[in-house]
Amino acid sequence: MPNAALPRRGIVAAGHAAAADAAATVLDAGGNAFDAAVAAGFASAVCEPGFTSLAGGGFLLARPAGAADVLFDFFVDTPGRGRPDGAPDPVFEEVAVTFAAATQTFHCGPGSVAVPGVLAGYLHVHRRLGRLTLADVVAPAARLAIEGVVVSPTQAHDLALLEPILARTAASRAIFLPGGRLLAEGDVLHNPDLGAFLHALGRDPSATFYAGDLAVRLVHQLHAGGGLLTVDDLAAYRVIEREPLRVRYRDRTLLTNPPPTFGGALLGVALSRLHRLGPVPPAGSPELAVLLATTMAGVDADRQAAHPEVVAALAGDLGDDPLGRPQVSRGTTHVTVADVDGNVAAMTTSNGECSGDVIDGTGIACNNMLGEDDLHPDGFHAAPPGERVASMMSPTFVLDAAGDHVDLALGSGGSKRIRSALLQVLVAVVDHGAALADAVDAPRLHWDEDHLEVEPGLAPEVLAALAAVAPVNEWPERSMYFGGVHAVAPGRVGAGDARRGGTVRVV
């Protein structure tokens, strides 16, 4: 039965209108929040190809009405199970990606592909918590892939950054550079192979790339180019259900992503520091900006040094070596859904920058989670096969004072900026009582190793106070660099972050 305290409205906040529409369609058809989140995820694989894929990795934080909260971990594993000794080294291709203010080298190609988890995760969550048939859940995405989706400004910008990777293979060029020209804003992206794959999956949930002929074909395809993925890797992959990390902040309890990943733990450390200091300074004040900057800097220093405070600051056990694992996620998207029955889902997924490889006959882009040198300080492929890679992704719930209901559900893309984006939105809503849309829209700052990255819009006295703390790089305009927080206050309102194409739907 619906909770009498909740208005009869389902709310979706997502990174693309087509993903939000897919979720809303499923809710309107009688699906619950988990059907809707999975439907949005499948749709995002079509309409947000620069951010996510069925061959990427992710997490979903779930509050099923009347049942225990659970964090579904379907992030990527390190590959190589059953690979014989003396096998050739994996093959990487270096690709220079030019950003607004810098050029960064990424590694892509078959040697960068980790064991994918997104498809397994969607199927697992649907099987455990869904209400509609799988065919109903995948139908909006399948239709979108076949009929086509207009490339949004956000995706056009991201595809332009990734063009050197997207142009690597003929299969990738057929999707993203049809006719030899990269898809631009307003063009229509078609992916009929992905549409056919989704239709087949709706009829038979076992028709995946984890077993059978498609698994063998995928492994052979990547091996031919120097990949590490094995049939054993695919067969052994499992979605892990974890108890969410609980963090006390003011009179609220936060639930977020637990170790062995560590984005949620670092967010928890920052909130714990603020909690111990007492009330925060007024919104928009120089004092608040300095407090946030120094808190971010302190947590970053703890992360770099694996400081014991990271483990000790929170009440629970953060697990073994939460800071020492390989970590990823840059190209990332998020969706949050709350339904009329009190079910809430917050899901973040990523495909890295993609490898440039497409699984033959499926239209599914492979990840490049193993291909970023700054994320593997011990060297590429130093981790043993079968290890779950860590992430900064932090889908999060804020519970009411009694702990009975979710007051706020949110998450973000943006790699290291995920925790700083969430921190600033949480302080605005919980401490200052800001309207959700205002909290998401407010200018952000981020501590980056030894300086501050700052969005435009801060008062001159705030910038001056920050400059006294560290060098400040003020951006000329708002940017997806600072994350994309898509949030829902169940039963009340949603907010989509314009930095990453945020869209809200109410059903």
Side-chain angles (χ1 to χ4, degrees):
M1 294 292 292
N3 189 310
L6 293 174
R8 294 191 58 81
R9 52 197 278 163
I11 305 176
V12 179
H16 192 288
D21 287 341
T25 296
V26 165
L27 286 178
D28 198 45
N32 62 22
F34 311 111
D35 292 313
V38 171
F42 278 116
S44 290
V46 181
C47 62
E48 297 186 271
F51 290 162
T52 188
S53 166
L54 300 185
F59 304 87
L60 187 149
L61 180 60
R63 164 154 287 202
D69 302 298
V70 58
L71 186 287
F72 295 96
D73 177 347
F74 46 94
F75 207 58
V76 299
D77 283 350
T78 51
R81 293 177 177 93
R83 194 166 183 261
D85 293 337
D89 289 337
V91 174
F92 276 179
E93 292 184 28
E94 287 192 2
V95 173
V97 174
T98 302
F99 295 88
T103 297
Q104 186 170 359
T105 298
F106 296 110
H107 297 81
C108 56
S112 70
V113 180
V115 186
V118 162
L119 180 56
Y122 291 171
L123 296 175
H124 182 95
V125 171
H126 175 261
R127 186 169 56 248
R128 279 269 283 107
L129 299 176
R131 182 184 295 162
L132 298 183
T133 67
L134 183 62
D136 289 333
V137 170
V138 302
R143 185 166 54 250
L144 198 65
I146 293 170
E147 295 178 359
V149 59
V150 175
V151 177
S152 71
T154 300
Q155 285 302 304
H157 174 72
D158 202 58
L159 295 180
L161 291 176
L162 300 179
E163 182 174 8
I165 299 174
L166 298 175
R168 272 197 59 251
T169 64
S172 181
R173 291 193 297 272
I175 299 170
F176 301 109
L177 290 87
R181 181 182 67 84
L182 181 70
L183 292 170
E185 180 182 348
D187 289 339
V188 178
L189 184 154
H190 293 275
N191 195 337
D193 285 347
L194 180 54
F197 175 86
L198 292 172
H199 276 309
L201 184 70
R203 294 190 298 269
D204 177 8
S206 69
T208 74
F209 49 68
Y210 291 98
D213 177 65
L214 186 53
V216 173
R217 285 164 45 204
L218 170 58
V219 167
H220 286 171
Q221 174 188 346
L222 294 179
H223 276 196
L228 291 170
L229 189 70
T230 69
V231 172
D232 290 347
D233 289 326
L234 294 169
Y237 186 85
R238 295 292 183 272
V239 177
I240 302 171
E241 297 188 14
R242 304 187 191 276
E243 182 178 348
L245 180 66
R246 303 177 75 88
V247 180
R248 193 68 179 169
Y249 186 65
R250 310 309 181 201
D251 62 343
R252 312 294 183 88
T253 298
L254 273 75
L255 307 181
T256 191
N257 202 357
T261 197
F262 53 84
L266 294 173
L267 175 63
V269 170
L271 291 168
S272 295
R273 288 184 170 197
L274 293 178
H275 183 78
R276 289 196 302 269
L277 292 172
V280 299
S285 67
E287 293 80 9
L288 175 64
V290 169
L291 177 61
L292 290 172
T294 54
T295 298
M296 292 175 194
V299 173
D300 190 61
D302 287 342
R303 182 182 71 87
Q304 297 296 335
H307 196 285
E309 183 180 356
V310 175
V311 177
L314 301 176
D317 178 14
L318 297 187
D320 296 332
D321 192 22
L323 305 182
R325 289 171 172 259
Q327 51 172 303
V328 301
S329 71
R330 270 191 173 80
T332 315
T333 192
H334 181 84
V335 59
T336 303
V337 185
D339 66 25
V340 299
D341 297 322
N343 300 295
V344 188
M347 182 175 76
T348 315
T349 60
S350 176
N351 201 39
E353 290 79 34
C354 81
S355 73
D357 301 279
V358 176
I359 302 175
D360 285 345
T362 70
I364 299 172
C366 293
N367 69 76
N368 72 323
M369 300 296 199
L370 304 181
E372 300 174 7
D373 51 6
D374 60 326
L375 302 177
H376 299 276
D378 295 331
F380 291 123
H381 311 109
E387 184 170 287
R388 187 61 47 97
V389 177
S391 170
M392 285 293 179
M393 296 189 214
S394 307
T396 298
F397 294 160
V398 179
L399 306 185
D400 63 8
D404 295 331
H405 304 297
V406 177
D407 265 355
L408 178 62
L410 71 167
S412 178
S415 188
K416 293 184 293 184
R417 281 84 61 196
I418 289 174
R419 65 182 189 271
S420 58
L422 295 180
L423 176 66
Q424 290 165 89
V425 171
L426 289 168
V427 168
V429 172
V430 175
D431 288 285
H432 296 133
L436 185 55
D438 292 340
V440 169
D441 193 56
R444 292 183 190 141
L445 56 89
H446 174 73
W447 177 267
D448 188 4
E449 295 186 358
D450 59 359
H451 69 281
L452 285 160
E453 301 286 351
V454 176
E455 283 191 301
L458 296 179
E461 61 269 22
V462 173
L463 290 173
L466 291 174
V469 173
V472 172
N473 178 34
E474 185 179 9
W475 287 54
E477 58 187 18
R478 294 196 310 171
S479 169
M480 70 170 66
Y481 170 90
F482 292 91
V485 179
H486 308 315
V488 168
R492 301 192 301 279
V493 67
D497 197 329
R499 297 170 182 84
R500 292 194 174 216
T503 303
V504 174
R505 295 287 184 268
V506 177
V507 179

